[in-house]
Amino acid sequence: MKLVCGGWRRFLWCLPLLFIVSHLLSGGLRPDLSIEEVPKKGKNKFDRLVLGPATGQGLPNRLHCQGVKALNRTRYSSSRPRAEARERTTFVTVFTIYNGSLDVRGSGGSSDRVVVGRSSYNRVERSMAILTVFFNFIQVTMPQSDVVILTDPASDLSVTREGVFVHPIEGEYSRDKLMLQRIRSYIAFLDEEQRNVSPDQIHNYIFTDSDIAVVDDLNSVFRDFQDFHLALTFRNNKNQPLNSGFIAVRGTPEGINRARMFLKEVLEAYISRYSSASRMLGDQLALAWVVKFHASFDLKRFTKPQAFVEKVGGASVLFLPCAVYNWTPPEGAGQFHGMPLDVKVVHFKGSRKRLMLESWNYYNSSGSMADMLCLILGSGRTKYDF
Ligand SMILES: *[C@@H]1O[C@H](CO)[C@@H](O)[C@H](O)[C@H]1NC(C)=O
Ligand SMILES: *[C@@H]1O[C@H](CO)[C@@H](O)[C@H](O)[C@H]1NC(C)=O
Ligand SMILES: *[C@@H]1O[C@H](CO)[C@@H](O)[C@H](O)[C@H]1NC(C)=O
């Protein structure tokens, strides 16, 4: 509650500085704003892009912007190193959709439709649109990667796209069990992969939420840091230092095995300690519990956004700063120092899903990843209706 109020106050504080981006974006990207009535949504949730101030200006190694124009030349526009052929990255995400049960409220009803750019979406279409944009970014920044979608065999999910594979795994995918099931599905997937490890081709894995944009090549994680089995992202947050939305696993037999054992421990901690936690938080709390239980390092290391490797139980765990590998503007009153120039993953948590689609549309029409990051930097603290 405290966080929400803090955020709201800050929001009011920023209000005079807010302005609507459509006036800024010339070139017919959003020719006309049709302001929809969105029934029963919080008053402060916007149905169009709204920009606040871009923070971090004047700080070194932060992205500097003028409106939605990037002032720094970043690597995104230049040519990127090709992934070594022996190592590939497979993204793995859990996603389900049910055309009857997911949304009795409005999978078809026009009252629940939301317009982004020139498209209109019902609830199911919104989830699919997010998944599609997730693929789109990966295809741009890591074109040699595959995506595996772990899903309920009963789900009606069908995706026909090159490099994307739907992989049903039995389980209980109801909304309130989804975070628990997600860990189970990860483990089941790694169990299968362990039997198929090939000595000629290493498939590294990155398990992620689907509401992320990969904005730079992540193969570098496996190249630049040699000695880890799995990687987690951390932030300076005492109670929730780890985010479960990004887990990288080295695709060697040892890496897969250590990651399986680690995740099994997280699953046990979740069941025994956090079953009653909110459906969103249980896995993060369990993850933090396992790390704190085994770790022999000073937890103060989580306060500095610098990568480090430490043993956790038998596993070598690479801790990566959320600031670069899982960037999201802090909610509420958290201090906000802009966006690092080397950001690689943007996470559109909570009420930022509209921004994810708008960002893709903007990138798609402008061709500039850096400008798109300015759009996200300016708009990331706005709450959207979708
Ligand atoms: C980014 O651009 C700003 C504004 O032009 C400049 O002051 C800053 O030094 C640049 N940062 C880097 C690392 O180049
Ligand atoms: C889900 O949708 C598909 C196609 O729209 C339809 O063929 C199928 O029967 C539906 N399934 C259920 C359970 O309603
Ligand atoms: C934008 O989208 C179109 C149609 O999907 C695609 O052909 C084009 O390559 C995209 N542009 C960029 C910069 O991704």
Side-chain angles (χ1 to χ4, degrees):
M1 206 55 207
K2 220 165 91 196
L3 281 177
V4 171
C5 295
W8 175 240
R9 261 200 303 279
R10 183 163 288 241
F11 176 78
L12 285 177
W13 183 246
C14 293
L15 208 54
L17 292 164
L18 296 173
F19 55 98
I20 296 166
V21 186
S22 62
H23 297 303
L24 237 154
L25 304 180
S26 51
L29 178 63
R30 292 169 59 75
D32 209 22
L33 273 183
S34 58
I35 299 183
E36 264 200 19
E37 285 301 317
V38 185
K40 299 252 174 226
K41 295 274 155 74
K43 284 193 199 83
N44 57 335
K45 290 197 171 182
F46 288 89
D47 61 358
R48 59 190 186 277
L49 272 178
V50 174
L51 274 189
T55 58
Q57 310 301 289
L59 295 173
N61 300 319
R62 299 285 142 162
L63 182 64
H64 288 67
C65 305
Q66 201 159 57
V68 291
K69 266 252 109 12
L71 297 176
N72 300 95
R73 282 196 61 80
T74 58
R75 282 170 291 135
Y76 314 112
S77 45
S78 60
S79 65
R80 58 193 60 262
R82 284 174 62 86
E84 284 162 42
R86 271 195 77 245
E87 296 206 15
R88 291 280 177 93
T89 298
T90 299
F91 285 85
V92 186
T93 192
V94 166
F95 186 91
T96 62
I97 205 150
Y98 308 91
N99 52 353
S101 53
L102 178 73
D103 272 309
V104 247
R105 272 189 299 166
S107 13
S110 57
S111 61
D112 204 33
R113 297 191 78 85
V114 159
V115 175
V116 181
R118 294 197 180 89
S119 308
S120 146
Y121 304 91
N122 66 31
R123 280 175 173 260
V124 171
E125 288 162 351
R126 272 179 251 176
S127 314
M128 289 309 295
I130 286 171
L131 193 62
T132 300
V133 170
F134 170 69
F135 304 149
N136 291 350
F137 277 111
I138 290 171
Q139 202 163 57
V140 167
T141 52
M142 299 177 67
Q144 298 170 320
S145 306
D146 297 326
V147 179
V148 173
I149 306 167
L150 306 181
T151 193
D152 188 348
S155 160
D156 294 311
L157 185 64
S158 102
V159 179
T160 45
R161 185 161 169 160
E162 209 182 321
V164 178
F165 305 93
V166 175
H167 187 102
I169 287 182
E170 293 289 344
E172 202 181 334
Y173 290 79
S174 61
R175 283 210 156 178
D176 54 338
K177 295 271 167 58
L178 197 57
M179 289 299 114
L180 195 60
Q181 180 57 44
R182 178 161 83 156
I183 305 176
R184 290 200 163 109
S185 299
Y186 286 179
I187 294 169
F189 175 77
L190 287 172
D191 283 347
E192 291 175 19
E193 290 302 292
Q194 194 171 37
R195 288 180 230 123
N196 303 325
V197 178
S198 142
D200 307 320
Q201 175 90 56
I202 294 176
H203 281 268
N204 297 315
Y205 305 98
I206 300 181
F207 295 83
T208 67
D209 292 352
S210 49
D211 57 351
I212 65 154
V214 177
V215 297
D216 199 3
D217 184 9
L218 289 170
N219 287 303
S220 58
V221 172
F222 298 98
R223 281 200 303 265
D224 298 350
F225 303 94
Q226 290 292 326
D227 301 315
F228 73 92
H229 300 123
L230 73 151
L232 304 171
T233 54
F234 71 91
R235 57 199 165 194
N236 184 12
N237 178 322
K238 206 159 189 237
N239 298 319
Q240 294 162 46
L242 299 165
N243 181 270
S244 56
F246 181 104
I247 301 174
V249 174
R250 192 181 295 281
T252 57
E254 176 81 353
I256 294 176
N257 193 36
R258 293 289 182 188
R260 276 172 64 238
M261 294 192 318
F262 178 84
L263 288 174
K264 281 184 180 170
E265 231 185 307
V266 173
L267 180 64
E268 278 165 29
Y270 193 153
I271 294 168
S272 63
R273 288 166 193 279
Y274 301 109
S275 279
S276 60
S278 133
R279 65 186 186 200
M280 297 304 294
L281 284 183
D283 60 335
Q284 313 214 12
L285 295 172
L287 201 56
W289 188 86
V290 170
V291 167
K292 285 178 182 167
F293 181 76
H294 288 290
S296 54
F297 61 92
D298 186 352
L299 295 172
K300 283 215 180 78
R301 293 184 86 165
F302 289 146
T303 59
K304 268 200 228 128
Q306 261 165 23
F308 61 95
V309 178
E310 282 287 350
K311 280 263 189 262
V312 175
S316 284
V317 180
L318 168 64
F319 292 93
L320 294 167
C322 281
V324 175
Y325 292 90
N326 197 342
W327 188 89
T328 202
E331 314 254 4
Q335 289 199 340
F336 185 23
H337 300 302
M339 185 186 276
L341 272 172
D342 57 349
V343 65
K344 295 184 192 310
V345 175
V346 174
H347 196 161
F348 294 88
K349 278 184 209 153
S351 319
R352 299 186 181 92
K353 311 294 185 244
R354 168 183 288 275
L355 183 56
M356 181 168 177
L357 266 59
E358 298 273 14
S359 300
W360 171 258
N361 288 348
Y362 185 61
Y363 170 70
N364 186 263
S365 64
S366 70
S368 168
M369 200 65 93
D371 290 354
M372 181 200 76
L373 291 173
C374 282
L375 179 75
I376 295 171
L377 175 61
S379 195
R381 295 189 96 169
T382 307
K383 287 196 161 153
Y384 292 108
D385 56 342
F386 157 17

